[in-house]
Amino acid sequence: MIPDTTHFQVRLAAGETDFLAAQRLRYRVFVEELGGDGPLVDHERRFERDAFDPVNDHLILVDRRRDAAALDHVVGVYRLLRGDQAEAFGRFYCDSEYDLAPLRSSGRRLLELGRSCVDAGYRGGTAMFLLWNALADYVLEHGVEVLFGVASFHGTDVEALRMPLSWLHHHHLAPEALRVRALPEHFQRMDLVARDALERRAAMVEMPALIKAYLRLGGFVGEGAFIDRDFNTTDVCLLMDTAAMSDRHKGFYTRKHEARA
């Protein structure tokens, strides 16, 4: 069966209602579900927000059947920060967790992805696929060459995450030219299990779906994890070099562009 997606709309947020609805969705996911917090989180009105919100583009998935007046219409969100926007603002979000010098010195067009989440009732369906298709259009429109951003494991018990973290380190470590590194004061080594002792199935069971999706597209990770106690997460920095993608993976980003040419 082909799912009915006519009630969905994917677009950049425009206006206060969209922005507040995106922050409300983030509150439900990152605060109520995952136990996160932060200095600008508004618990009284249930908004998850930070200093980067005004300078990012916010890609939103809207369900037109839901009530926008109640800030209930946004069911998926991706926060996007291009290199030129970050330069004007003074930093990327990831600067607080990783040394991004390799990315900056690469001279390539960068796009930081963050705060991606989908409403619980829409997971496992077409929501993420629709967001990723719109993200592909954004990447092509702006000539983005390297995508990166923090992806999170729930919880801060590194021992419980030793298998997936070690799998990422041994099998998906970024090439040296793009290998960002977690900042020293919060650096958590990821090679916690020897390569020959890794268990793929155990690693994949504990691997978040979003990270697995990036790996399937040819993504890789920076060196070291970052323990974020405010958000109750263990973070890794995911990177994707569009020039290094296989033809099959690159087709995800180029097929619609070519069809319009």
Side-chain angles (χ1 to χ4, degrees), residues 85-258:
Q85 295 169 309
E87 184 176 358
F89 183 62
R91 59 195 172 105
F92 287 105
Y93 177 87
C94 284
D95 278 312
S96 63
E97 299 191 10
Y98 282 82
D99 178 0
L100 302 182
L103 296 182
R104 287 191 168 92
S105 64
S106 72
R108 304 178 70 193
R109 293 182 181 175
L110 306 176
L111 178 66
E112 182 181 52
L113 311 177
R115 290 298 199 274
S116 61
C117 60
V118 173
D119 183 273
Y122 294 78
R123 295 171 197 164
T126 60
M128 205 66 207
F129 176 78
L130 293 172
L131 280 169
W132 275 38
N133 269 288
L135 174 61
D137 286 339
Y138 188 97
V139 165
L140 291 165
E141 179 183 350
H142 292 282
V144 172
E145 297 171 280
V146 178
L147 299 83
F148 70 99
V150 166
S152 302
F153 291 85
H154 181 47
T156 58
D157 182 356
V158 175
E159 178 62 20
L161 301 172
R162 67 189 186 282
M163 196 64 71
L165 290 176
S166 298
W167 184 272
L168 290 173
H169 177 86
H170 290 300
H171 290 282
H172 298 283
L173 196 61
E176 191 169 348
L178 297 176
R179 191 178 301 166
V180 303
R181 181 179 171 87
L183 296 177
E185 57 268 31
H186 295 281
F187 184 91
Q188 168 61 54
R189 56 185 288 249
M190 294 167 60
D191 55 337
L192 304 171
V193 178
R195 188 184 184 99
D196 58 4
L198 286 173
E199 300 173 18
R200 186 183 186 283
R201 185 176 183 279
M204 291 301 110
V205 166
E206 297 297 327
M207 198 81 71
L210 183 64
I211 295 179
K212 287 191 282 191
Y214 278 108
L215 298 182
R216 285 194 294 270
L217 284 173
F220 32 73
V221 298
E223 185 173 359
F226 179 94
I227 308 300
D228 188 339
R229 303 202 181 275
D230 283 344
F231 265 83
N232 190 33
T233 60
T234 299
D235 298 343
V236 297
C237 188
L238 282 168
L239 304 102
M240 194 153 54
D241 181 351
T242 59
M245 287 181 179
S246 69
D247 290 340
R248 179 170 62 89
H249 294 141
K250 196 177 295 185
F252 177 84
Y253 284 93
T254 61
R255 62 179 182 272
K256 290 194 297 178
H257 176 72
E258 292 168 349

Side-chain angles (χ1 to χ4, degrees), residues 7-52:
H7 50 275
F8 285 123
Q9 180 184 27
V10 189
R11 55 179 170 79
L12 294 180
E16 185 180 34
T17 298
D18 283 349
F19 284 113
L20 292 178
Q23 291 174 336
R24 175 67 54 76
L25 171 63
R26 284 162 38 186
Y27 189 91
R28 292 201 303 270
V29 174
F30 296 126
V31 180
E32 293 179 339
E33 284 188 42
L34 301 179
D37 200 356
L40 297 184
V41 172
D42 185 339
H43 291 287
E44 182 177 352
R45 297 195 297 164
R46 299 174 59 242
F47 296 129
E48 193 281 304
R49 49 173 46 139
D50 69 13
F52 285 85

